[in-house]
């Protein structure tokens, strides 16, 4: 529940001006990246996100987890949904290869 609270307070808050978020080496996996995806749905300040782990053996985010981020950033549900979505995120970096 910690990720849910963090993302809610930091990314969903309309007063937040956070532009760079480094959550690498925090043990983030698919469930948490799904929460992140929902939190950035209306965020218009975040520009750069760093995700991943330098610790060997950690599972990290799978293709399924990245799909949840892609679905939010590339929503095709309506013109209004696209308009309201995140317009500022231009870089997501990961210590692990991102899916094609």
């Amino acid at each position: 529940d910690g990720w849910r609270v963090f993302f809610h307070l930091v990314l969903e808050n309309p007063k937040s001006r956070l532009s760079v978020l480094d959550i690498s080496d925090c043990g983030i996996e698919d469930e948490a990246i799904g929460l992140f995806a929902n939190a950035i749905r209306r965020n218009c300040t975040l520009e750069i996100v760093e995700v991943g782990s330098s610790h060997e053996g950690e599972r990290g985010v799978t293709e399924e987890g990245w799909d949840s981020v892609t679905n939010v950033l590339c929503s095709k549900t309506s013109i209004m949904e696209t308009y309201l979505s995140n317009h500022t995120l231009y870089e997501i970096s990961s210590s692990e290869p991102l899916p094609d």
Side-chain angles (χ1 to χ4, degrees):
D1 216 29
W3 284 117
R4 180 182 318 276
V5 171
F6 173 77
F7 292 142
H8 174 72
L9 292 175
V10 175
L11 298 177
E12 294 178 13
N13 182 344
K15 294 183 180 183
S16 174
R17 299 292 171 237
L18 184 71
S19 63
V20 177
L21 178 63
D22 183 350
I23 50 176
S24 56
D25 290 325
C26 291
I28 197 162
E29 295 181 353
D30 285 349
E31 182 181 351
I33 206 74
L35 296 170
F36 165 78
N38 287 329
I40 63 169
R41 191 172 300 275
R42 301 269 191 274
N43 180 289
C44 293
T45 61
L46 192 60
E47 296 176 353
I48 299 171
V49 177
E50 296 182 25
V51 180
S53 173
S54 60
H55 303 292
E56 192 173 323
E58 281 193 1
R59 194 173 117 227
V61 180
T62 68
E63 187 170 344
E64 182 180 311
W66 287 118
D67 284 347
S68 66
V69 175
T70 302
N71 289 338
V72 167
L73 294 178
C74 304
S75 175
K76 298 177 184 173
T77 55
S78 72
I79 293 171
M80 185 54 79
E81 188 69 25
T82 302
Y83 173 75
L84 293 172
S85 68
N86 183 307
H87 296 288
T88 57
L89 188 61
Y90 66 88
E91 180 181 329
I92 299 178
S93 61
S94 176
S95 59
E96 302 146 7
L98 298 174
D100 293 332

